[in-house]
Amino acid sequence: MQIRYFREYSENLNRYMEFKMYGHAGKICMVVPTQNNRFYEWEDHGMFDPVRDVIEDGEIQFIACDSIDPETWSNQYEPTKDWIRKHENWINYIIYELVPSVLEKAGKPKEEKLMVTGASMGATHAANLMLRYPDTFDTLLALSGIYEMEPYYRGYHDDYTYFNNPMAYLSNMPAEHPYIEKYNQSRLIFCVGQGQWEEQTQEELRHLADILYKKGIHAWTDFWGPDVYHDWPWWQVQLPYFIDVILHR
């Protein structure tokens, strides 16, 4: 498997950001790490091993990006109005800096759409990226995410909090919004277990599934069994299962 490391300066974040590319060809899939973690997390947890065959066959290539969660969603020291703007700067980094850089490095046309995935808070970020930017992404695989971000805001609200809370903006999306057609031309997959540490995530996915249904948004919301818990061993099972579906069915 070809692995390449990059460190590039971000104008949006005023710092160098790191990322890795795994594979040499195929659909580009961006990977967002779990809360407070780094671009090398999925590699360290062996997440690419179960999909090594499709990577080496040139069917898919993964881009593991970095997050700034300790400064944003885990930040208990700054006012919400300050850290949520930092998060929005990270969103702008992903969309306007990282995606174009990755497409160029992969030899892809600049209009080609990506897949995005993540587990836990990584799934939250992945879903938010897909739902906000359906002209950039056309496939989502969200494993064990949360989608109601209100508890993080400590009572503060502005446009940035609203547009980073999928439960809020999807609930208010009008039936004629052009994004709904774009979602339905894409592939949206949400998965959660029903075992240990998945109580909140399964409850939120049931709520999200209801919103998606009422809005006419086609999505696959998959609830795995009571033995499926919120941790890497199950995400290592779920990833190749859904990648096979996405690539071959």
Side-chain angles (χ1 to χ4, degrees):
M1 183 196 325
Q2 182 186 81
I3 302 176
R4 292 183 287 167
Y5 164 81
F6 299 94
R7 181 175 181 266
E8 296 179 345
Y9 190 78
S10 166
E11 297 291 343
N12 282 284
L13 295 171
N14 298 313
R15 72 186 74 179
Y16 283 94
M17 296 292 288
E18 298 170 278
F19 62 98
K20 273 189 172 183
M21 299 179 68
Y22 300 81
H24 63 282
K27 180 75 173 177
I28 297 177
C29 178
M30 181 173 293
V31 173
V32 187
T34 64
Q35 190 167 9
N36 300 337
N37 283 294
R38 302 293 310 282
F39 68 97
Y40 46 76
E41 179 191 36
W42 272 42
E43 181 179 344
D44 287 355
H45 284 279
M47 286 291 285
F48 300 118
D49 294 334
V51 291
R52 178 179 290 270
D53 56 341
V54 289
I55 297 175
E56 293 181 345
D57 288 345
E59 294 187 71
I60 194 168
Q61 51 191 316
F62 289 89
I63 312 303
C65 71
D66 231 341
S67 75
I68 60 167
D69 287 344
E71 302 170 48
T72 56
W73 299 96
S74 300
N75 187 345
Q76 298 297 311
Y77 305 101
E78 284 189 282
T80 304
K81 66 177 181 179
D82 294 332
W83 68 252
I84 195 65
R85 282 160 176 75
K86 290 184 183 179
H87 176 70
E88 191 67 15
N89 289 340
W90 177 81
I91 294 280
N92 290 332
Y93 154 71
I94 294 291
I95 299 300
Y96 301 112
E97 295 181 298
L98 182 57
V99 168
S101 176
V102 163
L103 287 171
E104 181 180 13
K105 289 174 173 58
K108 301 281 189 179
K110 61 182 180 180
E111 65 273 9
E112 182 161 323
K113 295 184 180 183
L114 286 68
M115 174 180 169
V116 61
T117 189
S120 194
M121 180 66 90
T124 306
H125 293 328
N128 192 42
L129 286 166
M130 169 75 231
L131 294 168
R132 286 183 60 182
Y133 295 95
D135 291 323
T136 300
F137 301 98
D138 65 0
T139 308
L140 166 69
L141 174 57
L143 306 174
S144 303
I146 59 170
Y147 308 105
E148 174 55 76
M149 311 312 293
E150 181 66 29
Y152 286 87
Y153 296 151
R154 301 185 295 231
Y156 177 80
H157 300 95
D158 62 16
D159 285 350
Y160 296 121
T161 61
Y162 179 79
F163 286 109
N164 285 290
N165 185 356
M167 290 287 202
Y169 61 75
L170 284 177
S171 295
N172 294 322
M173 186 171 286
E176 67 277 9
H177 198 291
Y179 277 15
I180 292 180
E181 182 179 357
K182 292 179 180 182
Y183 297 155
N184 289 336
Q185 293 171 349
S186 302
R187 196 163 203 167
L188 309 181
I189 302 174
F190 299 86
C191 180
V192 70
Q194 298 182 75
Q196 194 172 20
W197 310 307
E198 291 278 43
E199 293 83 4
Q200 179 185 358
T201 48
Q202 64 172 297
E203 178 183 349
E204 292 201 8
L205 185 53
R206 292 186 197 282
H207 184 195
L208 179 65
D210 184 58
I211 294 172
L212 294 170
Y213 175 77
K214 290 177 178 176
K215 296 295 179 179
I217 298 169
H218 306 152
W220 179 3
T221 54
D222 206 354
F223 294 81
W224 287 31
D227 57 327
V228 180
Y229 52 90
H230 187 100
D231 211 346
W232 295 102
W234 277 108
W235 298 330
Q236 290 168 353
V237 173
Q238 291 164 348
L239 179 68
Y241 173 81
F242 288 111
I243 291 296
D244 180 60
V245 170
I246 290 165
L247 293 178
H248 303 137
R249 302 182 202 175

